[in-house]
Each structure stands twice: as C-alpha cells, then as structure tokens.
Amino acid sequence: MMFFYFGLFIFSLTGAVMSDDFCKVSPICQDTCDRTCTNPCGCDGDDATVAYGGSCISADECQGDALLNLRQLCIDSEGDDHRCPNMIKVVKAAEDFATYDFRIDVRSAEEWVEGHSVVSLNAAGLAGSPVNRYMKLLDNLRNNRLLVYCAGGVRAWGASVNLLKFGFRDITTVYDGGFRHLEAEIIKTSEGSESHPSKAYCYLKGSSAICPQPLTISHIRTAEDIRRLGSHVVLLDARPADRFPETLPNATRVTIPEVKEYVGRLGPRVTVVFFCQKGVLSFLAAKEARVAGFTGPLYWIDNAGYPELIHIPGIELI
C-alpha cells in the first residue's frame, strides 16, 4: 500500500511549466521583479502579499551577495525576522521530523530517487524557479507546517525564500545539512533507543517488518483518502473507553494489550488503520501489531486523532 503515498505525492515538472506573468501585471513590477525570485503581489494593489512587510521585492534582494547576507541574517535572527523562515539545524529537524504536516525535499529528481523519506514531496528546482510552476504540488499547503531541506542547506534556503514571497507562512528550513544528514541522525537516534523504531524512523523508512506506515491528518481531506488504502479497511481506536467513551461510528476499540489477540484474527487482505487522540497510542498500537506478526497493510494516524477525524466528510461510511 506504499503506492498510495507514491501516487499521491510524486510530481513531475515535465509538461507542467507555466509562464511567469507576475512581473507583467504592473508597470511598477516590470523593472523591479526578478523572474527567478517570483513576486506574487500586484505591487500597486491593495491586496499585496504581507511577506517582507508587504512591499515589492526588488531583484537585488533575490540574488548575489544580498541573498547570502539575508541567509546569514535569518540564521542569526532565530526566527525573529519577518522576512525569514524558521532556520534550524539537522539535529533539531531530526528530532521534530514527524511533527510537520509536509516535508519538502528540493533536491534534484535524481538525488531524490537515490534516497528519500517515504512521506516527502519532491519539489526539484524550487530554489531557483518561480513558485507558480509548483502550484499543482503545493497550492493546498499554504496553511500547513512545512519542513524544507535539500542536500546541504543552500537550495532549501532559496526554496523557502521563494515560498515566503508567494504567501506561504509556516516554513522551517534545515540550514546546516541535508537529507543524508537527517537520515543518519534519525537512524542513529532511533536505533540507540529502547523504543526503536521511533516515529521519525518510520516517517523515513515507511512500512516494513518493524514499522507501520504514517498517515498524518494533513494528508486526509475526505474519507476517500482512507478508503483507498485497501479493499477492506478497518479503523481501530487505541484509546481506553473509560477515558474516551466516544469513538467513530464504525471503529473498533482495540487497546494496546488487546492488539496481539485482535490482529491474530485478521486475514491478510485487511488494511488496519489505528487512531487515538493525538497519534501517540495509535503509533504504539500499530508497532505492537507488527511485533505480534501482522504483515498486512498497517497505518497509524498521526498529529491528530478522533477530535479531527470526526469532522472528516464521509468518515461515518468507513
């Protein structure tokens, strides 16, 4: 069932390149916008993007020494400058890897194929291309928490600046390394822990003999996104009924001590989706299912749970 993630998230720019008309919409913009540093505002309009204080961005701020100076300023400001994404080191990014709504990998398609997180989006070239070329991939993510990384930090910075200028807000950038450094840190931390595999490890590796597949709430728009996981999907509530008496209409209550017995009765074609309140118990229950020998498609809903799922359109039909 990993093909669900691949089918949902892989996007190619081939045939999807759009003309960049942003610098043609206003006489003021014609001489001040840089084509590779997209300025989304009308410049002389009332609804100009608030990024960078709402002013038009000149080409000088988008390239050369000015851009490098701004990068260092953003590193030093620790998130206090409105022009900057949140700049973090690899160690912090690895620690928080599973908490983001989406992970944006801006390495080349060739680098991405050689190794990537199974729940990452590849936006190759975003560091130096107008953001409007990527709208098919990114347009619905404006209000989500995004982690942006590349191979060493430079392309991630450029991509993040582009996103800020296009109205994206909650962006965190890895500045002192890239995917391979993140991967090494996540694996080292997880394998050195008694609770291995960690959430971050499973976000990195995906479904395996020890890992369930993460399914974050940000990836679920309607109940169809859950139904398509398999021909026979069962929703399992890992929360104890005495503390959380309400559950989803068609969910079965299976707490961690009950997991082994329950999954032992399931057939190989059943797709199991655990949920809880915030993603903690559901992850532990899903890991327990793997320990118990369940080899079928196995997911846990993360970074949310019943309070959010109950509002998903069509959830009562699963």
Side-chain angles (χ1 to χ4, degrees):
M1 298 311 298
M2 287 174 61
F3 287 105
F4 164 76
Y5 274 93
F6 281 84
L8 182 60
F9 295 138
I10 292 180
F11 172 68
S12 171
L13 292 179
T14 303
V17 176
M18 302 168 60
S19 62
D20 182 10
D21 294 326
F22 285 104
C23 291
K24 302 175 184 177
V25 299
S26 165
I28 299 176
C29 281
Q30 287 179 356
D31 297 326
T32 59
C33 290
D34 186 276
R35 291 178 62 82
T36 62
C37 189
T38 306
N39 185 340
C41 67
C43 289
D44 53 358
D46 295 329
D47 57 347
T49 300
V50 179
Y52 286 71
S55 61
C56 291
I57 310 306
S58 69
D60 291 340
E61 292 185 68
C62 298
Q63 54 193 342
D65 292 341
L67 191 60
L68 292 177
N69 291 340
L70 180 59
R71 181 175 185 268
Q72 187 58 51
L73 181 150
C74 289
I75 293 172
D76 296 339
S77 72
E78 298 182 348
D80 291 334
D81 193 307
H82 69 278
R83 297 172 295 173
C84 301
N86 181 29
M87 308 286 282
I88 63 172
K89 293 185 175 182
V90 165
V91 172
K92 179 62 174 173
E95 178 183 338
D96 296 342
F97 197 69
T99 67
Y100 292 93
D101 295 323
F102 292 91
R103 284 138 291 274
I104 312 298
D105 187 334
V106 299
R107 295 176 300 157
S108 69
E110 292 76 16
E111 291 173 292
W112 194 80
V113 168
E114 290 176 358
H116 59 272
S117 162
V118 298
V119 288
S120 63
L121 301 172
N122 184 220
L126 181 57
S129 300
V131 176
N132 61 310
R133 296 182 179 182
Y134 297 80
M135 283 300 97
K136 183 177 179 181
L137 179 71
L138 302 175
D139 194 34
N140 292 325
L141 311 186
R142 290 177 186 269
N143 297 319
N144 291 117
R145 294 181 65 238
L146 308 181
L147 177 67
V148 182
Y149 54 88
C150 59
V154 176
R155 283 176 290 177
W157 154 253
S160 297
V161 169
N162 265 348
L163 289 169
L164 279 174
K165 292 173 182 176
F166 213 82
F168 289 76
R169 290 289 177 266
D170 198 346
I171 301 172
T172 297
T173 304
V174 181
Y175 73 84
D176 69 334
F179 173 73
R180 290 303 183 187
H181 306 95
L182 274 170
E183 180 182 45
E185 182 66 25
I186 289 170
I187 291 174
K188 179 187 72 173
T189 302
S190 181
E191 291 182 347
S193 168
E194 294 181 358
S195 59
H196 177 68
S198 65
K199 277 189 179 184
Y201 184 94
C202 293
Y203 271 73
L204 184 70
K205 299 295 186 180
S207 181
S208 69
I210 61 173
C211 270
Q213 182 81 4
L215 180 59
T216 67
I217 195 68
S218 55
H219 297 169
I220 303 172
R221 306 293 182 185
T222 70
E224 183 60 28
D225 292 326
I226 298 176
R227 281 196 294 267
R228 73 176 63 170
L229 297 175
S231 57
H232 183 191
V233 177
V234 295
L235 289 173
L236 303 183
D237 188 344
R239 303 173 303 162
D242 59 339
R243 290 183 57 201
F244 303 96
E246 296 183 348
T247 190
L248 298 178
N250 294 318
T252 300
R253 190 84 64 165
V254 181
T255 59
I256 294 173
E258 301 167 329
V259 167
K260 181 176 181 179
E261 179 182 355
Y262 183 87
V263 299
R265 303 196 303 264
L266 297 179
R269 298 184 181 277
V270 174
T271 297
V272 171
V273 179
F274 278 100
F275 70 91
C276 60
Q277 196 75 1
K278 290 295 182 182
V280 177
L281 290 179
S282 58
F283 177 57
L284 295 176
K287 285 207 302 181
E288 184 63 23
R290 281 290 188 245
V291 171
F294 182 73
T295 58
L298 178 63
Y299 297 80
W300 93 93
I301 292 177
D302 200 18
N303 299 328
Y306 171 78
E308 292 77 19
L309 289 170
I310 194 65
H311 299 294
I312 298 292
I315 195 70
E316 72 280 357
L317 302 177
I318 297 180

